[in-house]
Amino acid sequence: MRREYWILIVVWLLAAGLVFLIPKNRLRLAVSAFVFTQAITWIFGSLVVEYGLITYPVRLFHVANRSSFTYEFFVYPIVAGLYNVFYPYSFSLFIRILYTSAYCTVLTIPEVFIEKYTDLIEYQHWTWYWTWTSLFLTFMLTRGFCLWFFNGIMKEME
C-alpha cells in the first residue's frame, strides 16, 4: 500500500477521534456546523479543482470526485464543528480573531508539508496563504450560519 493511503487512514482515525471531544450538550451545534461546512467545501472545493488551482493525484473516490473527499467532506467539517463548539464568544474581538487564526494555522501547516512531500495534494496555481485565507473565511461563514440557525439560543448552548 502506498504511503499516501496510510496517511489517509491515519487522518481518518484522528478526525474520527476528534468527535469524542464534543460535549453532548453541544452536539446539535457541532452537527449543524459539520453539515454546513460540507456544503461550503463541496462548492468551493469543486471550483478550485475545476479551475485547476489544486489537484489531488491520490484520493478516495477518484472516479466520482476530483477533490479531496477526506479533507473537504470529513476532516475539515469535523474541525469546523469543534471550532464552533469551543468558540470563545464572550472574549474580546482580538481573542476571537486569534482563536480563528490558530485553527487556520493548525490546518494549513500540515497541508504545506503534505503538498511538499506526498502526492495527496499538488498546488498548481495556489499557495499556502490562499488556503489559510479560505479557511478563515469558511470558519467565519460557518460561525455566521450557526449564529443565524440557532438565533437566540446560542448563548444558552454555550
Side-chain angles (χ1 to χ4, degrees):
M1 186 181 293
R2 290 178 65 174
R3 169 182 56 173
E4 285 81 5
Y5 288 109
W6 284 109
I7 293 170
L8 288 175
I9 290 169
V10 169
V11 167
W12 273 82
L13 292 173
L14 288 173
L18 291 175
V19 171
F20 295 105
L21 297 176
I22 300 169
K24 285 185 181 181
N25 65 334
R26 296 185 184 174
L27 193 56
R28 286 182 295 159
L29 174 60
V31 170
S32 299
F34 179 86
V35 172
F36 184 76
T37 304
Q38 283 183 324
I40 292 173
T41 58
W42 175 65
I43 294 167
F44 291 138
S46 296
L47 287 173
V48 166
V49 168
E50 289 301 317
Y51 283 109
L53 303 175
I54 294 178
T55 57
Y56 298 97
V58 176
R59 63 189 181 277
L60 300 177
F61 311 118
H62 63 276
V63 175
N65 192 355
R66 292 193 313 188
S67 64
S68 173
F69 181 84
T70 298
Y71 184 73
E72 294 179 13
F73 294 101
F74 189 66
V75 175
Y76 183 53
I78 286 175
V79 173
L82 287 171
Y83 166 84
N84 278 280
V85 163
F86 296 110
Y87 188 81
Y89 72 95
S90 62
F91 287 80
S92 69
L93 178 61
F94 175 75
I95 296 297
R96 290 181 284 167
I97 290 172
L98 193 62
Y99 176 80
T100 304
S101 298
Y103 268 81
C104 296
T105 303
V106 165
L107 290 174
T108 301
I109 289 172
E111 182 177 292
V112 169
F113 284 103
I114 288 170
E115 192 274 334
K116 186 172 183 177
Y117 297 110
T118 71
D119 288 332
L120 289 172
I121 183 172
E122 289 181 6
Y123 292 166
Q124 303 301 320
H125 304 285
W126 193 263
T127 59
W128 67 267
Y129 53 84
W130 284 111
T131 294
W132 195 94
T133 304
S134 66
L135 290 172
F136 193 91
L137 293 173
T138 54
F139 275 131
M140 293 289 97
L141 280 171
T142 304
R143 182 68 186 161
F145 170 79
C146 289
L147 287 171
W148 169 80
F149 188 75
F150 291 101
N151 185 25
I153 63 168
M154 272 310 259
K155 295 206 182 216
E156 294 172 16
M157 291 178 66
E158 299 177 352

